Amino acid sequence: MLEASHELVDLFPADAAAWISETPLRAEYARLMRGFHRPIPWEESHAPRLEPGLRAELARIWGERIPTEYRSITGFSTLSFDFIAAGAPVDLVAVCHRVCIDELRHTELAVKMVETYGGHLPPLPREISSMPADESLTAVAQACRSAILLSCLGETFACTELAMLRDRAVDPVVHGVLTVFLADEIVHARVGWAYLAHALKTADERTKREVAEAIPGYIAGIAANLFGTAEKPAVIDVTNDDPRLGEHGVCSMREEQELYRAFVPDVFLPGLRAVGVPVDTSAALAALT
């Protein structure tokens, strides 16, 4: 069994993190983390060529991604409960649970990247992501709102940004890791859009209005998390203005802001309208300012 486990680790760093147990399930965990992706060419990393300051900043950036990826597990777990309560088809529930496995994979990869650039393994985060809930809503309206926030907005924008970062990455390891992230996030985004298209076919007008009225707040909330406000800094900052870091899949804060401001009117709002959400375009765009 140990031999098989080591072969899996050669393909994917499934015991890189400090929190992996020594139980017999370790090999099964490695199989799940490997998923359907090609192995990452870890030995081709450009990290040893970089000066210490750049390596430290890249370790910081990947460290910022760890709690975000790990918290997403709890978010999509909650979404799966919302789906069940709303009577969603079982294929959507099943794929929602696959997302949780993917987010573990992303956490594992981010841990490995911190080790690659920073030379240390970070501890397991313990934060839990809470989803906004409103007891006055029907189960379908709540599930639609959750799907929009997590999947249609958060994960779809992640796809847009990851595509940009992956395409500019020169480092083979970064390119490989971001390709894994992007391939998974596309599925994560599709979960939300698929549920909206399914649920809104038969939803009444009140449900559609209740779903639509939450959208400006979600747009503003994601922006505040990414970019901060006058009162509070960004919750997560994976940006840097140093152009040398572009080869390692990093963009500036300004680039990320411009990408988000284009994504909302060009991708997000048209998608909502296409599946039948009566979104208030003016209010949604005002949330970007």
Side-chain angles (χ1 to χ4, degrees):
M1 171 164 325
L2 284 176
E3 231 175 74
S5 178
H6 283 310
E7 288 172 4
L8 286 170
V9 171
D10 289 340
L11 290 169
F12 194 88
D15 65 352
W19 56 81
I20 304 303
S21 75
E22 297 294 337
T23 72
L25 288 180
R26 179 174 184 159
E28 180 63 14
Y29 176 83
R31 186 187 69 80
L32 290 171
M33 290 302 97
R34 186 179 64 173
F36 307 102
H37 301 292
R38 294 179 181 178
I40 307 298
W42 298 105
E43 69 284 354
E44 298 177 25
S45 173
H46 294 177
R49 311 178 192 175
L50 301 177
E51 62 185 60
L54 290 180
R55 291 188 65 168
E57 176 60 7
L58 287 164
R60 179 199 69 79
I61 287 170
W62 282 101
E64 287 271 296
R65 290 190 169 111
I66 292 170
T68 300
E69 299 298 330
Y70 204 64
R71 280 197 305 267
S72 293
I73 299 167
T74 61
F76 275 94
S77 295
T78 302
L79 180 59
S80 73
F81 298 154
D82 287 343
F83 279 175
I84 291 170
V90 294
D91 54 336
L92 288 171
V93 177
V95 176
C96 197
H97 282 279
R98 176 219 146 149
V99 173
C100 297
I101 298 295
D102 292 344
E103 299 295 3
L104 272 170
R105 182 184 300 113
H106 298 178
T107 303
E108 189 74 42
L109 284 167
V111 165
K112 181 66 174 177
M113 293 300 280
V114 171
E115 182 186 33
T116 298
Y117 287 113
H120 67 279
L121 289 171
L124 174 68
R126 297 189 179 186
E127 296 112 341
I128 293 177
S129 182
S130 60
M131 292 286 291
D134 185 338
E135 293 184 359
S136 69
L137 297 176
T138 64
V140 170
Q142 181 61 61
C144 286
R145 283 190 177 190
S146 297
I148 289 172
L149 178 59
L150 265 181
S151 193
C152 304
L153 180 55
E155 298 291 312
T156 308
F157 178 65
C159 291
T160 304
E161 185 168 19
L162 284 167
M164 178 184 75
L165 299 180
R166 192 273 307 268
D167 290 348
R168 71 171 47 174
V170 174
D171 185 293
V173 170
V174 175
H175 191 276
V177 169
L178 293 180
T179 297
V180 171
F181 274 44
L182 178 58
D184 288 340
E185 302 287 17
I186 289 170
V187 176
H188 304 177
R190 290 180 64 199
V191 170
W193 293 110
Y195 178 70
L196 283 186
H198 166 80
L200 295 181
K201 282 180 184 176
T202 55
D204 57 30
E205 293 305 312
R206 176 184 173 184
T207 297
K208 292 179 181 179
R209 287 195 304 272
E210 288 175 339
V211 171
E213 67 188 19
I215 290 167
Y218 292 165
I219 293 171
I222 294 287
N225 284 343
L226 291 174
F227 315 125
T229 64
E231 295 77 27
K232 293 175 65 176
V235 174
I236 173 174
D237 183 7
V238 294
T239 66
N240 190 288
D241 292 341
D242 191 329
R244 293 175 294 176
L245 297 185
E247 295 186 357
H248 296 264
V250 178
C251 68
S252 69
M253 175 73 79
R254 181 175 179 179
E255 286 178 298
E256 190 178 47
Q257 288 175 322
E258 290 175 349
L259 193 67
Y260 187 66
R261 287 174 181 145
F263 161 80
V264 169
D266 295 348
V267 178
F268 180 56
L269 298 184
L272 292 176
R273 287 191 288 269
V275 295
V277 179
V279 60
D280 183 333
T281 302
S282 297
L285 295 179
L288 285 171
T289 60

